[in-house]
Amino acid sequence: MSLKKFFSNLNLLRKIELKRLNNIESRNKVLLDNMYIDIIDQLMYELPKGNVKRPLIKDYNQTVDTLISSDKSIARFGDGEIKIISGESIEFQEYDAYLATRLKSILENKNDRVMVGINYDYYYPDIQLLLPTVACFYRINSPKLRKNMNPYLNWNSQYYSAAFTQLYMFYQNMDFDTYFEKLRQIWNKKDVLIVACKELVNTIKYNIFDNANKTDYFFAPNKNAFSKYDEIYKGIKNYSNKTLVILMLGPTAKVLADDLSKDGYRALDLGHLMKDYDWYKKGMNRDFEGINNYMSMDK
């Protein structure tokens, strides 16, 4: 759609909506105005030369390259972590003030041992590469998510892609076989400890970590894992720091990656990766219902 047509449609929509809402309370008119502000804001980010402020973020391929070539840990921030920072609870984790404080601190990106991942598509969206349902989600939600995350970013620092762990359920027209094989280089022939909830692991048929030298599991609660943080942390510390720690515990994984890195461990917050690979190998549905089911599964 051309910019001229976009603004023409936008103006027509605004006239129709304002006429329909002419007699309702002023509060709703303010909400409508904010909606159009968000639409314009999102459009500016979708324009390659839009005059907007963007943090430095490596894309998903550059992020994986860095993970292969370095021994750094990674902590990834998505909409769930942003909600916690903003004082909200999410499905798998109740709001916790200390957790929110730790997440804000990690997002400032001051630990040289940890790569901090944020969503590349919040700031450099390529709508043509995203699945239509995902593109719709980003267009609706990205303005608010950016506003809530921006105050805590270190604008002089390098960030990485947070979504590299779930490309199958986000992107289209990709060579997923090649991409997943590239990812598997990170833990190839290494001793691995997977920290996740048992409910997730029990659903997996195709294990992306099957090329590791040795794989152990440490099971944690599928909800409110942060309430058991000390217990989880001590359990991980029973393993050698030569073990690669794979974390799949929502917001709790970010704090674990930060703390473990300071103790000489390499800890990778890989979130949805295990189920993303499994769903790809199974050829699972990626329409609206499929993506909704995917996002509702344990992390």
Side-chain angles (χ1 to χ4, degrees):
M1 181 186 295
S2 69
L3 284 178
K4 183 177 180 180
K5 187 174 181 181
F6 176 89
F7 281 110
S8 176
N9 290 345
L10 184 64
N11 188 47
L12 177 61
L13 177 61
R14 181 177 176 82
K15 288 179 180 178
I16 293 171
E17 286 298 298
L18 286 177
K19 183 176 180 181
R20 184 176 70 84
L21 297 171
N22 187 51
N23 295 320
I24 69 173
E25 57 186 305
S26 60
R27 182 179 65 86
N28 285 345
K29 291 183 180 180
V30 171
L31 291 175
L32 183 63
D33 285 340
N34 288 338
M35 180 186 76
Y36 284 107
I37 290 171
D38 284 348
I39 290 173
I40 298 300
D41 177 67
Q42 181 61 20
L43 176 64
M44 295 304 294
Y45 277 92
E46 290 184 21
L47 294 172
K49 297 183 179 180
N51 186 24
V52 289
K53 189 175 183 180
R54 308 176 202 250
L56 302 172
I57 313 175
K58 299 287 189 182
D59 66 23
Y60 60 85
N61 268 316
Q62 293 169 325
T63 297
V64 175
D65 288 340
T66 304
L67 288 170
I68 292 171
S69 63
S70 77
D71 60 356
K72 288 189 174 185
S73 298
I74 189 167
R76 302 161 35 263
F77 285 73
D79 56 291
E81 286 71 36
I82 298 172
K83 287 181 179 179
I84 294 288
I85 287 173
S86 302
E88 302 176 45
S89 296
I90 58 176
E91 183 177 357
F92 297 101
Q93 179 62 58
E94 294 178 354
Y95 172 76
D96 181 286
Y98 181 63
L99 172 58
T101 298
R102 287 298 309 273
L103 291 175
K104 291 174 186 177
S105 176
I106 296 166
L107 193 53
E108 291 176 354
N109 204 4
K110 295 180 178 179
N111 182 352
D112 291 338
R113 302 180 186 91
V114 178
M115 299 160 55
V116 177
I118 59 179
N119 201 312
Y120 187 86
D121 292 297
Y122 290 168
Y123 297 95
Y124 302 89
D126 188 338
I127 299 302
Q128 301 304 315
L129 293 179
L130 295 167
L131 290 167
T133 50
V134 177
C136 181
F137 173 87
Y138 280 144
R139 279 180 157 159
I140 294 171
N141 294 285
S142 289
K144 179 181 177 181
L145 292 169
R146 282 193 296 266
K147 290 174 187 175
N148 290 340
M149 184 164 62
N150 283 352
Y152 307 103
L153 294 180
N154 181 346
W155 294 88
N156 297 316
S157 183
Q158 180 67 64
Y159 289 90
Y160 296 84
S161 169
F164 76 94
T165 61
Q166 49 192 139
L167 293 198
Y168 178 64
M169 294 307 290
F170 280 5
Y171 291 87
Q172 57 186 342
N173 303 321
M174 278 190 60
D175 181 355
F176 291 108
D177 276 335
T178 299
Y179 179 73
F180 282 122
E181 282 307 308
K182 181 179 179 180
L183 262 175
R184 283 158 57 88
Q185 295 179 44
I186 299 169
W187 50 84
N188 188 47
K189 297 183 180 179
K190 295 180 181 178
D191 291 348
V192 167
L193 173 65
I194 297 175
V195 184
C197 67
K198 185 180 292 187
E199 292 85 351
L200 167 62
V201 174
N202 286 344
T203 67
I204 300 301
K205 178 179 179 181
Y206 298 97
N207 185 1
I208 193 170
F209 303 109
D210 62 7
N211 61 320
N213 178 58
K214 177 184 177 184
T215 304
D216 289 320
Y217 292 88
F218 184 93
F219 293 121
N222 67 338
K223 290 189 177 182
N224 297 318
F226 195 69
S227 66
K228 301 293 184 181
Y229 185 85
D230 290 343
E231 179 181 328
I232 297 169
Y233 187 72
K234 290 176 182 177
I236 297 171
K237 291 292 291 292
N238 286 328
Y239 291 81
S240 164
N241 64 5
K242 303 299 182 184
T243 302
L244 177 62
V245 182
I246 305 293
L247 304 167
M248 299 183 183
L249 281 183
T252 302
K254 287 65 183 162
V255 183
L256 285 168
D258 189 54
D259 287 344
L260 288 167
S261 73
K262 296 171 183 175
D263 285 337
Y265 289 80
R266 188 184 192 197
L268 306 180
D269 165 28
L270 298 187
H272 293 278
L273 178 59
M274 182 177 274
K275 69 182 180 184
D276 199 69
Y277 178 77
D278 186 55
W279 277 43
Y280 167 64
K281 296 293 284 186
K282 291 175 179 175
M284 298 295 283
N285 195 348
R286 299 192 295 170
D287 61 12
F288 178 82
E289 182 179 357
I291 292 176
N292 189 52
N293 290 337
Y294 171 94
M295 297 304 291
S296 68
M297 290 177 61
D298 297 329
K299 296 182 180 180

